[in-house]
Amino acid sequence: MTAKQVLKGCVLFFGLSDSELEKVASLAVEKQYEAGTTIFTAGDSAEALFVLQEGRVAIQMTLPETGDLASRRITVDVVTKNEILGWSAILEPYKYTFTAVCIQQTVALLISGNKLRSLLRDNHKIGYEVMEGLAKVIAAGLNDTRQVLIAERLLPAKLT
Amino acid sequence: MRVVLASERPQIQHLLMDMIEEEPGAIVVGQAENAIKTLVLAENLRPDVAIIDSNLPYSVGLDKLALSRMSGLDIGQMICQKLPGTRVVILNNLDAQVLPEVSLSRDNQAFFSRERLRGTTSFKLQELCREAAPSEAPVFASVEVESWSASQQKDGSGAIGSGAISIAGGLYLIGTLWLAPYGVLLALGGVFMLAFGLFKKMTTRLWRKSR
């Protein structure tokens, strides 16, 4: 599968024409990761945006040590095929806010954050479409989180 | 080798139990259906191996919400941190879409497998424990299920069937007289294949019993 085809299946790039997709695809490099690999860690400089071609990646947040509880990681989302990872690469302050760990062997397209930001600045049409896609990704994530919150609120009633 | 296993799905628990108990010296000492119970069992029982489904709910799985079943990795990492003597295996392909109920039949052959960039290898838990001391990171693996027909090929049933067909074909050709020499060859080939299949079936049964 070519980089352009992979991008075409990703919600972030849905609004782009073929020629615009080619411009983004020219910035992308394919990379494979073994299960268990940490792709990036919270606090790292966000060098790249990832589009998953295959595999599953856990997005983890590190909870600080509190009282008796040692510091530990909590999975807050799992990213799968055609989804994006590391959108901090296009939003200030360009630092990853979560840690990404591969649950399965993963193949991803890496898009350099610097180059993508330049492209979005220089080409307003691409910039608008990608930012609209990003808003959809964030809204979908927020909606999933709300669903979990609602289901948790209903839990005591369900259990009794 | 004492094993704790964790999965929300009872069918997966049964499958894993069968797989583990086929290994010599391995025994399942505890089973959990959520992350909290897995941690409590691991802390109390101090197993050699903890096998954890990556799609594990924290306490209960919220119906149809995939986001509520993401605690397998977290609890695996926590056990690695808290119990350095326990080897943690995270199973990463046990969701219903990848491993449907139909594939969990006891007639099918299931085995653990590790996917790496240089290829996929199947493994036994004992090999994993012998490899090295438990590390701070979990081992990621999957459960592969071999269909009945594939395992039938392996245990010799396929050869028996082909052998019988060859013998029948050979006898038919002998009956036509002018192709008799070819018929004899075909029938002999069939007899050989049938004998091979029977031998393989017998050794596979003995091997399964000994495990």
Side-chain angles (χ1 to χ4, degrees):
Chain A
M1 200 183 240
T2 64
K4 191 176 139 188
Q5 286 169 322
V6 175
L7 296 176
K8 214 170 185 171
C10 173
V11 68
L12 197 64
F13 306 105
F14 269 177
L16 301 188
S17 66
D18 276 8
S19 61
E20 288 164 343
L21 278 173
E22 261 161 29
K23 284 182 186 161
V24 180
S26 69
L27 311 177
V29 180
E30 189 184 286
K31 204 169 172 186
Q32 284 192 44
Y33 301 91
E34 277 190 1
T37 308
T38 299
I39 300 180
F40 55 75
T41 306
D44 286 355
S45 170
E47 307 281 349
L49 173 85
F50 300 77
V51 180
L52 256 62
Q53 278 179 259
E54 275 173 40
R56 276 164 67 212
V57 178
I59 307 296
Q60 294 194 305
M61 194 173 175
T62 305
L63 297 188
E65 194 178 326
T66 46
D68 296 345
L69 292 172
S71 163
R72 63 194 194 281
R73 283 185 187 170
I74 301 289
T75 302
V76 292
D77 199 0
V78 174
V79 177
T80 57
K81 190 180 171 180
N82 291 336
E83 294 182 332
I84 60 160
L85 183 69
W87 42 262
S88 302
I90 45 175
L91 292 181
E92 279 187 1
Y94 312 125
K95 283 197 182 299
Y96 294 121
T97 47
F98 297 104
T99 298
V101 181
C102 298
I103 300 176
Q104 291 176 340
Q105 183 161 296
T106 296
V107 183
L109 276 187
L110 266 76
I111 304 172
S112 155
N114 266 332
K115 289 178 184 169
L116 183 61
R117 289 196 305 267
S118 297
L119 179 67
L120 302 186
R121 264 195 303 267
D122 297 345
N123 188 323
H124 292 174
K125 162 80 173 27
I126 299 179
Y128 173 80
E129 296 293 351
V130 170
M131 285 304 174
E132 190 180 35
L134 184 58
K136 284 179 188 163
V137 169
I138 296 172
L142 190 59
N143 188 48
D144 288 347
T145 311
R146 283 176 177 157
Q147 295 293 331
V148 174
L149 283 175
I150 292 166
E152 278 184 348
R153 297 278 166 86
L154 298 173
L155 207 55
K158 249 186 186 177
L159 291 176
T160 51
Chain B
M1 183 173 54
R2 299 162 70 250
V3 183
V4 160
L5 58 91
S7 175
E8 187 193 15
R9 293 167 67 194
Q11 299 91 335
I12 296 284
Q13 285 198 16
H14 291 142
L15 176 81
L16 293 174
M17 185 106 123
D18 288 349
M19 289 170 71
I20 292 158
E21 293 191 338
E22 269 190 14
E23 293 208 21
I27 180 164
V28 176
V29 291
Q31 294 179 74
E33 64 285 343
N34 62 49
I36 295 175
K37 194 171 169 190
T38 310
L39 184 63
V40 170
L41 280 179
E43 282 182 328
N44 290 336
L45 302 169
R46 309 257 159 180
D48 301 298
V49 182
I51 298 180
I52 301 168
D53 182 351
S54 64
N55 297 308
L56 196 66
Y58 179 67
S59 55
V60 287
L62 306 174
D63 292 350
K64 293 178 185 170
L65 291 178
L67 267 187
S68 72
R69 294 175 174 85
M70 299 189 303
S71 295
L73 175 61
D74 307 353
I75 216 67
Q77 288 169 331
M78 210 182 287
I79 292 171
C80 282
Q81 209 175 11
K82 285 190 162 192
L83 306 170
T86 299
R87 167 80 69 179
V88 175
V89 180
I90 305 282
L91 297 176
N92 58 16
N93 73 329
L94 298 181
D95 41 304
Q97 293 91 342
V98 181
L99 210 62
E101 307 286 318
V102 68
S103 67
L104 304 179
S105 155
R106 288 189 171 194
D107 295 332
N108 288 342
Q109 287 281 304
F111 52 92
F112 295 111
S113 147
R114 271 168 103 174
E115 200 178 22
R116 289 182 161 161
L117 295 182
R118 54 182 184 275
T120 305
T121 47
S122 61
F123 69 91
K124 298 272 176 202
L125 290 180
Q126 279 198 325
E127 291 163 6
L128 192 71
C129 290
R130 273 199 301 264
E131 243 178 38
S135 63
E136 278 182 22
V139 170
F140 289 78
S142 55
V143 171
E144 302 299 329
V145 177
E146 204 168 65
S147 70
W148 181 80
S149 56
S151 63
Q152 200 189 24
Q153 287 293 327
K154 265 193 176 172
D155 79 358
S157 301
I160 293 172
S162 309
I165 292 168
S166 299
I167 292 171
L171 290 175
Y172 175 76
L173 291 181
I174 291 168
T176 62
L177 292 178
W178 67 281
L179 283 173
Y182 301 106
V184 170
L185 281 177
L186 191 63
L188 281 175
V191 169
F192 177 75
M193 221 184 283
L194 191 82
F196 172 75
L198 286 171
F199 173 75
K200 204 166 177 196
K201 205 173 183 74
M202 205 170 65
T203 49
T204 309
R205 275 194 188 161
L206 285 173
W207 179 72
R208 276 188 195 153
K209 264 188 193 168
S210 72
R211 290 172 81 206

